[in-house]
Amino acid sequence: MRRRSVVVVGAGPAGLAAADTALAAGADVTLVDSAERPGGQYHRMLPDAYGARAPEAVQHGYRSFERRVRRVLDHPRCSWWAGAEVWALERRDPGGAAPAAPAPSCPPPKVHVLAPAPGGGPRRRHVLEPDALVLATGAHDRVLPFPGWDLPGVCTAGAAQALAKGERVVVGDRVVVAGTGPFLLPVAVSLLEAGSTVVEVVEAGARARVARGWLGRPWELGAQAGKAGELLALTGVLARHRVPYRFGRAVVAARGDGRVEEVVTAAVRADWSVVPGTERAAAVDVVCVGHGFTPRLELPVAAGCALRPGPRGTSEVYVDVDDDQATSSPGVYACGEITGVAGAPAARTEGALAGWLAAGGAPRAGAVRALRRRRDQGRAFARRLAHAHPVGAAWPGWLRPDTVVCRCEETDYATVCAAAQDPTATEARAAKLATRAGLGPCQGRVCGPTIAELRHRHGTGQPPAGPTDPGSHHRPLAQPIRLGELARPPAPPAPDRPDLAHLPPEESGS
Amino acid sequence: MSPRLVPARDDSVRRTDHPLTVTVDGEPVPGIAGQTLAGVLLAAGRTAWRTAGSGAPRGVFCGIGVCFDCLVTVNGERDVRACTRRAHDGDAVTTQSRRSGDPGDARAGERP
């Protein structure tokens, strides 16, 4: 019998776990990631060229991660595509664009990949036709705009983390870490470890609500108890360094001449409305901000996966998956942050379940039952985190009319509001063309959820699209591709694995 | 002095540096093998290298290839994300601008 082939997109905690269990279930696995090393954002690895002899010094849970990486990448049935980007998914169900219910026997979409050519030169195009597709594309920081957030020196919490952990570059000397969510803590600790002065960590949520969210009803935590313990340990590090961890405050402005020189924070109420007279300025050279995460949904949307709204009171949407981590699109599984943000342990569990079942593993094996239980605890943890760190509805109160909302096109708040009230541009697409917000190089990845929220708030025209409308996540090209790369004929799926090649070899000279 | 590379002698990960040099608009900038171009630029004390349409300076924002704020031209290839591209010795980096009329105005070709 021919072995099942599984393509896993994303080699973070979820994708690596999926590849691991899909291999264990006997499948041929192709693991694709845009980074050169596996690990994703959570286990961001140091470059090989650094020759680090103690990488575990900056890696939480390095040993077990390293064991899994070796087991997966060295496996004879695993093909590891580093530095490769999936730029499109091509649906094979009839009707393509919007079939109501494609046949369950329909194969998953074809996977269009751009991969580095062995030995350098232009990237090469490949087309994979797996029996099952596992999407584990993760999430990126969401940052709400504020006056001055477009100054150099304002960056996402994730950027500071990636630079400190991934290449030992600290973003600045005097840093304020601000926003909402538990992720602010490891970022502050990474900056401290790398030698920055962290002036303060500013959490917009109220102390009581955050504490209740993390620690309340501890018997429900189950496998996630370690995560709560990890957060407490991080607050301990802050305390040892005498870094204040302030609740109920938010960054409301950054100021400076050509770069950040000063950050202004203010007390906010439960709905994040600013309490007048509480503004306070601090001299800094960097402000690291994160208001939760935006799942990277362009590939699930391209695959036709149904979405679901996040927990009540949140504006994000996630991939809807069933008890088997299967999406509404036949043969397509999803795991990790794209199904709900619950951290690395939960992502690993979802990945392990998705990989095993995508590979045709026995759905009722004892280990699978245990995985499902832990996965359910992970989902509960996602709801708990969302409830502990909601984005307050009154945050636009700190915007000024000239505050940039779309960083690429520099569309300001006043323009976005005016377009939302324009009866001739009630459709999001028309407003996009009129304001250019979301049309720049990032294709609305940064401002998309914010623009959608502001339009919803200020709109007087048609009712907004439903909560699960893929709207701002619809990007037919998931990654930029150059015309020359598009024009070249596809190369075989796996140059080093002729047994996996389903296409004729690339013509000579191309 | 603001952004910087953790000095190898103090670094808890116990790394060994292999120096390299890139040029930025013709000026040599030192780095180490394995750094991204954004890492090289930041560690050299540069916090901004792209110009937005209004003339506002831009540098690293998301750091993971999502926001496209850090775009540079590398060895003649336009619109490369500095935060995800590894630096190679001898890379010729030129900065980009979206302000109309600037050299390297990326939008010149987009307009009718």
PDB file of all heavy atoms in Angstrom, chain A residues 136-156:
ATOM      1  N   ALA A 136      -0.113  24.971  10.423  1.00  0.00           N
ATOM      2  CA  ALA A 136       0.335  25.361  11.770  1.00  0.00           C
ATOM      3  C   ALA A 136       1.100  26.668  11.628  1.00  0.00           C
ATOM      4  O   ALA A 136       2.279  26.764  11.958  1.00  0.00           O
ATOM      5  CB  ALA A 136       1.218  24.268  12.364  1.00  0.00           C
ATOM      6  N   THR A 137       0.418  27.679  11.095  1.00  0.00           N
ATOM      7  CA  THR A 137       1.105  28.905  10.684  1.00  0.00           C
ATOM      8  C   THR A 137       1.271  29.911  11.812  1.00  0.00           C
ATOM      9  O   THR A 137       1.929  30.931  11.627  1.00  0.00           O
ATOM     10  CB  THR A 137       0.361  29.554   9.505  1.00  0.00           C
ATOM     11  OG1 THR A 137      -1.046  29.596   9.812  1.00  0.00           O
ATOM     12  CG2 THR A 137       0.538  28.742   8.236  1.00  0.00           C
ATOM     13  N   GLY A 138       0.659  29.660  12.979  1.00  0.00           N
ATOM     14  CA  GLY A 138       0.939  30.505  14.135  1.00  0.00           C
ATOM     15  C   GLY A 138       0.282  31.867  14.090  1.00  0.00           C
ATOM     16  O   GLY A 138      -0.720  32.074  13.410  1.00  0.00           O
ATOM     17  N   ALA A 139       0.877  32.792  14.818  1.00  0.00           N
ATOM     18  CA  ALA A 139       0.270  34.113  14.983  1.00  0.00           C
ATOM     19  C   ALA A 139       1.372  35.154  15.051  1.00  0.00           C
ATOM     20  O   ALA A 139       2.541  34.826  15.213  1.00  0.00           O
ATOM     21  CB  ALA A 139      -0.556  34.142  16.278  1.00  0.00           C
ATOM     22  N   HIS A 140       0.992  36.410  14.892  1.00  0.00           N
ATOM     23  CA  HIS A 140       1.947  37.492  15.125  1.00  0.00           C
ATOM     24  C   HIS A 140       1.322  38.499  16.076  1.00  0.00           C
ATOM     25  O   HIS A 140       0.105  38.495  16.284  1.00  0.00           O
ATOM     26  CB  HIS A 140       2.397  38.140  13.816  1.00  0.00           C
ATOM     27  CG  HIS A 140       1.287  38.716  12.981  1.00  0.00           C
ATOM     28  ND1 HIS A 140       0.721  39.942  13.250  1.00  0.00           N
ATOM     29  CD2 HIS A 140       0.638  38.241  11.900  1.00  0.00           C
ATOM     30  CE1 HIS A 140      -0.218  40.182  12.358  1.00  0.00           C
ATOM     31  NE2 HIS A 140      -0.297  39.168  11.530  1.00  0.00           N
ATOM     32  N   ASP A 141       2.136  39.378  16.631  1.00  0.00           N
ATOM     33  CA  ASP A 141       1.620  40.342  17.601  1.00  0.00           C
ATOM     34  C   ASP A 141       0.540  41.206  16.975  1.00  0.00           C
ATOM     35  O   ASP A 141       0.664  41.636  15.842  1.00  0.00           O
ATOM     36  CB  ASP A 141       2.710  41.321  18.046  1.00  0.00           C
ATOM     37  CG  ASP A 141       3.833  40.646  18.782  1.00  0.00           C
ATOM     38  OD1 ASP A 141       4.712  40.089  18.099  1.00  0.00           O
ATOM     39  OD2 ASP A 141       3.824  40.686  20.010  1.00  0.00           O
ATOM     40  N   ARG A 142      -0.492  41.486  17.767  1.00  0.00           N
ATOM     41  CA  ARG A 142      -1.398  42.555  17.384  1.00  0.00           C
ATOM     42  C   ARG A 142      -0.934  43.808  18.127  1.00  0.00           C
ATOM     43  O   ARG A 142      -0.614  43.739  19.312  1.00  0.00           O
ATOM     44  CB  ARG A 142      -2.835  42.223  17.795  1.00  0.00           C
ATOM     45  CG  ARG A 142      -3.768  43.356  17.395  1.00  0.00           C
ATOM     46  CD  ARG A 142      -5.237  43.027  17.546  1.00  0.00           C
ATOM     47  NE  ARG A 142      -5.990  44.147  16.980  1.00  0.00           N
ATOM     48  CZ  ARG A 142      -7.233  44.462  17.325  1.00  0.00           C
ATOM     49  NH1 ARG A 142      -7.873  43.725  18.208  1.00  0.00           N
ATOM     50  NH2 ARG A 142      -7.838  45.488  16.774  1.00  0.00           N
ATOM     51  N   VAL A 143      -0.856  44.922  17.425  1.00  0.00           N
ATOM     52  CA  VAL A 143      -0.511  46.186  18.078  1.00  0.00           C
ATOM     53  C   VAL A 143      -1.583  47.208  17.734  1.00  0.00           C
ATOM     54  O   VAL A 143      -1.831  47.482  16.555  1.00  0.00           O
ATOM     55  CB  VAL A 143       0.879  46.705  17.645  1.00  0.00           C
ATOM     56  CG1 VAL A 143       1.167  48.048  18.307  1.00  0.00           C
ATOM     57  CG2 VAL A 143       1.971  45.707  18.009  1.00  0.00           C
ATOM     58  N   LEU A 144      -2.237  47.755  18.760  1.00  0.00           N
ATOM     59  CA  LEU A 144      -3.203  48.820  18.542  1.00  0.00           C
ATOM     60  C   LEU A 144      -2.440  50.109  18.279  1.00  0.00           C
ATOM     61  O   LEU A 144      -1.413  50.361  18.910  1.00  0.00           O
ATOM     62  CB  LEU A 144      -4.086  48.997  19.780  1.00  0.00           C
ATOM     63  CG  LEU A 144      -4.890  47.773  20.197  1.00  0.00           C
ATOM     64  CD1 LEU A 144      -5.607  48.044  21.526  1.00  0.00           C
ATOM     65  CD2 LEU A 144      -5.901  47.404  19.114  1.00  0.00           C
ATOM     66  N   PRO A 145      -2.911  50.930  17.348  1.00  0.00           N
ATOM     67  CA  PRO A 145      -2.203  52.178  17.093  1.00  0.00           C
ATOM     68  C   PRO A 145      -2.312  53.152  18.255  1.00  0.00           C
ATOM     69  O   PRO A 145      -3.255  53.075  19.055  1.00  0.00           O
ATOM     70  CB  PRO A 145      -2.913  52.741  15.849  1.00  0.00           C
ATOM     71  CG  PRO A 145      -4.209  52.028  15.751  1.00  0.00           C
ATOM     72  CD  PRO A 145      -4.095  50.743  16.498  1.00  0.00           C
ATOM     73  N   PHE A 146      -1.345  54.033  18.364  1.00  0.00           N
ATOM     74  CA  PHE A 146      -1.398  55.171  19.301  1.00  0.00           C
ATOM     75  C   PHE A 146      -0.534  56.264  18.684  1.00  0.00           C
ATOM     76  O   PHE A 146       0.301  55.974  17.809  1.00  0.00           O
ATOM     77  CB  PHE A 146      -0.923  54.765  20.705  1.00  0.00           C
ATOM     78  CG  PHE A 146       0.422  54.084  20.757  1.00  0.00           C
ATOM     79  CD1 PHE A 146       1.605  54.822  20.813  1.00  0.00           C
ATOM     80  CD2 PHE A 146       0.517  52.691  20.731  1.00  0.00           C
ATOM     81  CE1 PHE A 146       2.836  54.187  20.846  1.00  0.00           C
ATOM     82  CE2 PHE A 146       1.761  52.051  20.758  1.00  0.00           C
ATOM     83  CZ  PHE A 146       2.920  52.809  20.818  1.00  0.00           C
ATOM     84  N   PRO A 147      -0.720  57.516  19.082  1.00  0.00           N
ATOM     85  CA  PRO A 147       0.078  58.579  18.481  1.00  0.00           C
ATOM     86  C   PRO A 147       1.570  58.289  18.661  1.00  0.00           C
ATOM     87  O   PRO A 147       2.009  57.996  19.770  1.00  0.00           O
ATOM     88  CB  PRO A 147      -0.344  59.836  19.262  1.00  0.00           C
ATOM     89  CG  PRO A 147      -1.712  59.510  19.778  1.00  0.00           C
ATOM     90  CD  PRO A 147      -1.703  58.036  20.055  1.00  0.00           C
ATOM     91  N   GLY A 148       2.318  58.304  17.565  1.00  0.00           N
ATOM     92  CA  GLY A 148       3.755  58.079  17.625  1.00  0.00           C
ATOM     93  C   GLY A 148       4.178  56.634  17.469  1.00  0.00           C
ATOM     94  O   GLY A 148       5.366  56.337  17.506  1.00  0.00           O
ATOM     95  N   TRP A 149       3.222  55.708  17.248  1.00  0.00           N
ATOM     96  CA  TRP A 149       3.604  54.282  17.141  1.00  0.00           C
ATOM     97  C   TRP A 149       4.363  53.998  15.855  1.00  0.00           C
ATOM     98  O   TRP A 149       4.926  52.933  15.688  1.00  0.00           O
ATOM     99  CB  TRP A 149       2.380  53.366  17.256  1.00  0.00           C
ATOM    100  CG  TRP A 149       1.494  53.279  16.042  1.00  0.00           C
ATOM    101  CD1 TRP A 149       0.967  54.311  15.349  1.00  0.00           C
ATOM    102  CD2 TRP A 149       1.034  52.085  15.391  1.00  0.00           C
ATOM    103  NE1 TRP A 149       0.190  53.852  14.312  1.00  0.00           N
ATOM    104  CE2 TRP A 149       0.214  52.483  14.322  1.00  0.00           C
ATOM    105  CE3 TRP A 149       1.213  50.720  15.618  1.00  0.00           C
ATOM    106  CZ2 TRP A 149      -0.420  51.568  13.457  1.00  0.00           C
ATOM    107  CZ3 TRP A 149       0.589  49.807  14.768  1.00  0.00           C
ATOM    108  CH2 TRP A 149      -0.218  50.232  13.704  1.00  0.00           C
ATOM    109  N   ASP A 150       4.389  54.994  14.931  1.00  0.00           N
ATOM    110  CA  ASP A 150       5.151  54.803  13.699  1.00  0.00           C
ATOM    111  C   ASP A 150       6.570  55.351  13.816  1.00  0.00           C
ATOM    112  O   ASP A 150       7.322  55.331  12.847  1.00  0.00           O
ATOM    113  CB  ASP A 150       4.410  55.430  12.505  1.00  0.00           C
ATOM    114  CG  ASP A 150       3.928  56.851  12.780  1.00  0.00           C
ATOM    115  OD1 ASP A 150       3.772  57.213  13.963  1.00  0.00           O
ATOM    116  OD2 ASP A 150       3.703  57.591  11.811  1.00  0.00           O
ATOM    117  N   LEU A 151       6.965  55.828  14.993  1.00  0.00           N
ATOM    118  CA  LEU A 151       8.349  56.288  15.172  1.00  0.00           C
ATOM    119  C   LEU A 151       9.293  55.095  15.265  1.00  0.00           C
ATOM    120  O   LEU A 151       8.960  54.090  15.902  1.00  0.00           O
ATOM    121  CB  LEU A 151       8.478  57.080  16.484  1.00  0.00           C
ATOM    122  CG  LEU A 151       8.006  58.533  16.512  1.00  0.00           C
ATOM    123  CD1 LEU A 151       8.037  59.046  17.954  1.00  0.00           C
ATOM    124  CD2 LEU A 151       8.880  59.412  15.618  1.00  0.00           C
ATOM    125  N   PRO A 152      10.485  55.207  14.672  1.00  0.00           N
ATOM    126  CA  PRO A 152      11.488  54.164  14.917  1.00  0.00           C
ATOM    127  C   PRO A 152      11.775  54.072  16.414  1.00  0.00           C
ATOM    128  O   PRO A 152      11.844  55.094  17.109  1.00  0.00           O
ATOM    129  CB  PRO A 152      12.717  54.678  14.154  1.00  0.00           C
ATOM    130  CG  PRO A 152      12.167  55.573  13.096  1.00  0.00           C
ATOM    131  CD  PRO A 152      10.956  56.230  13.711  1.00  0.00           C
ATOM    132  N   GLY A 153      11.913  52.841  16.889  1.00  0.00           N
ATOM    133  CA  GLY A 153      12.084  52.646  18.328  1.00  0.00           C
ATOM    134  C   GLY A 153      10.819  52.095  18.961  1.00  0.00           C
ATOM    135  O   GLY A 153      10.865  51.568  20.060  1.00  0.00           O
ATOM    136  N   VAL A 154       9.693  52.220  18.268  1.00  0.00           N
ATOM    137  CA  VAL A 154       8.487  51.501  18.693  1.00  0.00           C
ATOM    138  C   VAL A 154       8.485  50.203  17.903  1.00  0.00           C
ATOM    139  O   VAL A 154       8.568  50.222  16.675  1.00  0.00           O
ATOM    140  CB  VAL A 154       7.196  52.287  18.394  1.00  0.00           C
ATOM    141  CG1 VAL A 154       5.974  51.447  18.785  1.00  0.00           C
ATOM    142  CG2 VAL A 154       7.192  53.619  19.122  1.00  0.00           C
ATOM    143  N   CYS A 155       8.448  49.079  18.600  1.00  0.00           N
ATOM    144  CA  CYS A 155       8.393  47.809  17.881  1.00  0.00           C
ATOM    145  C   CYS A 155       7.463  46.867  18.622  1.00  0.00           C
ATOM    146  O   CYS A 155       7.009  47.160  19.737  1.00  0.00           O
ATOM    147  CB  CYS A 155       9.783  47.201  17.723  1.00  0.00           C
ATOM    148  SG  CYS A 155      10.577  46.728  19.258  1.00  0.00           S
ATOM    149  N   THR A 156       7.169  45.748  17.990  1.00  0.00           N
ATOM    150  CA  THR A 156       6.302  44.782  18.647  1.00  0.00           C
ATOM    151  C   THR A 156       7.104  44.053  19.733  1.00  0.00           C
ATOM    152  O   THR A 156       8.335  43.971  19.675  1.00  0.00           O
ATOM    153  CB  THR A 156       5.760  43.732  17.662  1.00  0.00           C
ATOM    154  OG1 THR A 156       6.852  42.928  17.221  1.00  0.00           O
ATOM    155  CG2 THR A 156       5.091  44.384  16.465  1.00  0.00           C
TER     156      THR A 156
END
